[in-house]
């Protein structure tokens, strides 16, 4: 039996390999999994911190969700998230309430079905502020983005 062989030092290479696989499976896999979780959390926080330093026209960095996935669509600047960015061709930015809702859902938020489509409601602004917080942008940055020079 294996414990007796361990004591006498007569483990075969296959038995040793099997024993090492079991040790890795039971002892190291949970540690590696936890390290992956910590690395992802660090990546999220680091990206949020980058966005917290952004000016209103600086490029925002996409923040992954808790599963490590990146969003398909992300606001380019704080001004675009705040809804007042004018594009080079003179058109208003295309970041809207529904994009905000989709991105918040991507980050795990749920919403009531009231007032989902009204772009300029207080709830729409509250959702934009919630999204800003999720991606590391402060309320002050959002308010400053609305000030015109």
């Amino acid at each position: 039996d294996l414990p007796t062989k361990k004591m006498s030092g007569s483990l075969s290479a296959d038995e040793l390999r099997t024993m090492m696989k079991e040790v890795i499976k039971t002892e190291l896999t949970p540690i590696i999994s936890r390290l992956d979780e910590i690395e992802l959390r660090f990546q999220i926080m680091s990206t949020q911190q980058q966005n917290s330093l952004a000016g209103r026209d600086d490029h925002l960095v996409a923040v992954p969700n808790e599963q490590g996935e990146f969003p398909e669509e992300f606001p380019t600047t704080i001004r675009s998230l705040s809804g007042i960015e004018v594009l080079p061709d003179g058109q208003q930015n295309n970041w809207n309430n529904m994009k905000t809702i989709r991105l918040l859902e991507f980050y795990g938020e749920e919403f009531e079905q009231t007032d989902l489509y009204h772009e300029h409601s207080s709830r729409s602004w509250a959702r934009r502020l919630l999204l800003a917080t999720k991606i590391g942008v402060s309320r002050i940055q959002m308010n400053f983005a609305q000030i015109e020079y």
Side-chain angles (χ1 to χ4, degrees), residues 41-96:
R41 189 68 201 139
F42 177 78
Q43 181 182 18
I44 291 169
M45 292 173 67
S46 174
T47 308
Q48 288 171 329
Q49 201 267 338
Q50 275 184 277
N51 289 337
S52 76
L53 299 174
R56 68 186 192 170
D57 293 316
D58 293 340
H59 185 75
L60 292 173
V61 181
V63 178
N65 64 12
E66 295 293 329
Q67 291 75 40
E69 302 163 338
F70 284 88
E72 292 179 19
E73 228 174 340
F74 198 80
T76 55
T77 65
I78 296 172
R79 286 189 74 185
S80 70
L81 177 57
S82 72
I84 60 149
E85 180 180 48
V86 176
L87 301 174
D89 63 3
Q91 294 180 342
Q92 195 72 11
N93 100 61
N94 62 356
W95 190 264
N96 60 37

Side-chain angles (χ1 to χ4, degrees), residues 17-33:
R17 203 173 294 117
T18 301
M19 193 169 82
M20 291 302 295
K21 284 180 183 179
E22 189 61 33
V23 167
I24 290 171
K25 182 178 173 184
T26 59
E27 300 298 326
L28 293 181
T29 301
I31 294 170
I32 292 169
S33 176

Side-chain angles (χ1 to χ4, degrees), residues 2 9-10 28 38 42 51 64 84 91 93 126 130 132-133 138 146:
L2 199 56
S10 62
L28 293 181
I38 292 168
F42 177 78
N51 289 337
I84 60 149
Q91 294 180 342
N93 100 61
L130 177 60
T133 302
S138 71
Q146 291 190 313

Side-chain angles (χ1 to χ4, degrees), residues 71 73-75 95 99-107 131:
E73 228 174 340
F74 198 80
W95 190 264
K99 289 180 181 180
T100 299
I101 290 169
R102 281 195 300 270
L103 194 50
L104 281 168
E105 288 172 342
F106 173 80
Y107 290 121
L131 177 57

Side-chain angles (χ1 to χ4, degrees), residues 114-125:
T114 59
D115 196 28
L116 291 182
Y117 299 100
H118 193 273
E119 286 296 321
H120 303 290
S121 70
S122 60
R123 286 185 181 163
S124 175
W125 181 245

